[in-house]
Amino acid sequence: MDVNGKAFRTIWLKADEPTVIQIIDQRHLPHRFVIEDLRTVDDVAIALKEMHVRGAGVIGASAGYGMYLASLEAKAQDKFEVQGFLRAMGAKLCATRPTAVNLEWAVNRQLEAVAPLGNDIDAIIAKTLEVAGAIALEDVQLCKSIGEHGFELIKAISDKKQGDTVNILTHCNAGWLGCVDNGTATSPIYQAHRRGLKVHVWVDETRPRNQGARLTAWELGQQGVPHTVIPDNVGGHLMQHGMVDIVIVGSDRTSYTGDVANKIGTYLKALAAKDNNIPFYVALTYSAFDWTISDGVKQIPIEQRDAREVKYIKGLKDGEITEVLLTPENSPAVNYGFDVTPARLITGLITDRGICPATPEGIANLYPDLSRFSIVNQN
Ligand code: MRU
């Protein structure tokens, strides 16, 4: 997508130095646009843990490239048992963000691809580079498909409102910054905007890391999409007053039964949407499904982050990014990164293969090759 009129993705191989991965370092947005070089697996692990990159799609793509850097390290360090080394590096990457299933999905995809190559390090380097590129490119295409399917929902509302503005509420950043390009929840919005529909986005600020206020607002602004940032607790009021036509959020892990883990606070928006009869959709690629989990609330691991992220807040002051203490210094705080919205509160899933109900049958219909639903139910 565009940054000051120039097309960018969130992650790429450095043009003149193909042993280096480049990312947009999202910690500095919206105030500064900073590109960071990643040279080692540790660089990638830190970038993931400390949210230089974040969001399901780009977390997966970073893990893919992280495994490529791991294979370069195996060669540089003359590792004798390459497969074991790669498994250890994969485990290190997976430990950084436990909720986003794209991370382990990408690591496993790399490990499966190199498994037949034994300790042939040059073949492994070539393969991990190829697979990392494929994961990133696939994410771009899958998100584009989500946009095409989700566009139809926005178009139907626009038609019903006789071309009047469609008001969409979103939570966190499920935009192109959270993916490689296009975004999941934002992809239908970008399609609608490009194709001339009148849209306006209510952007939840998304405490404590403020991905909505900092990132979604910035990327929508860069593409010229009308939007308004709102505190996280405003959505219910807007819904009660007919100011929200549809809610679209992303997902970090979705059970094969349709329960959705997404940024903390998503569940409360789903409850408010249900109470006000407002359609609540989740946009996700197939890589965000966990085909082993049947009960999202009980089984999806929820990341807990440093309480410091709740107690301190960052912003721009006199040209410098500054952090200030918000709470009494000694008050304890907790920081759950995600919550789970049960399938019963979800109107539908906007996927790369089409829109389906958030039910085991609906998901299995779109993904008969991946869903374990029919197998599980025969047992
Ligand atoms: O903690 P984050 O910023 O990685 O959380 C991201 C989200 O919850 C997004 O909504 C999600 O990844 C949607 S799909 C890009």
Side-chain angles (χ1 to χ4, degrees), residues 100-150:
V101 73
N102 291 60
L103 183 42
E104 57 194 71
W105 167 83
V107 165
N108 288 338
R109 185 159 159 180
Q110 286 282 28
L111 291 175
E112 277 162 31
V114 298
L117 303 176
N119 292 314
D120 181 346
I121 188 60
D122 290 324
I124 289 174
I125 290 171
K127 181 53 83 179
T128 51
L129 178 59
E130 176 197 316
V131 172
I135 289 172
L137 183 61
E138 189 182 281
D139 191 74
V140 175
Q141 290 160 345
L142 296 171
C143 286
K144 190 161 174 275
S145 301
I146 288 174
E148 277 149 19
H149 299 302

Side-chain angles (χ1 to χ4, degrees), residues 173-253:
N173 173 264
W176 76 271
L177 290 168
C179 299
V180 180
D181 209 347
N182 301 307
T184 53
T186 56
S187 191
I189 298 170
Y190 288 134
Q191 285 272 351
H193 179 66
R194 264 186 231 123
R195 289 156 82 166
L197 300 187
K198 278 168 56 185
V199 290
H200 165 261
V201 185
W202 296 112
V203 178
D204 276 356
E205 62 174 346
T206 319
R207 285 274 294 142
R209 290 292 292 240
N210 299 306
Q211 289 95 327
R214 298 190 304 108
L215 305 175
T216 306
W218 180 78
E219 64 160 89
L220 290 173
Q222 287 286 332
Q223 318 311 313
V225 177
H227 62 279
T228 307
V229 178
I230 48 172
D232 287 334
N233 39 17
V234 169
H237 171 78
L238 296 177
M239 291 183 205
Q240 283 176 325
H241 291 273
M243 294 161 83
V244 178
D245 295 303
I246 183 170
V247 181
I248 311 181
V249 298
S251 170
D252 292 86
R253 191 185 293 243

Side-chain angles (χ1 to χ4, degrees), residues 300-315:
I300 295 179
I302 298 298
E303 177 180 352
Q304 267 194 271
R305 297 184 60 84
D306 199 322
R308 192 180 165 85
E309 293 180 350
V310 177
K311 296 184 64 167
Y312 289 79
I313 195 155
K314 265 189 197 167

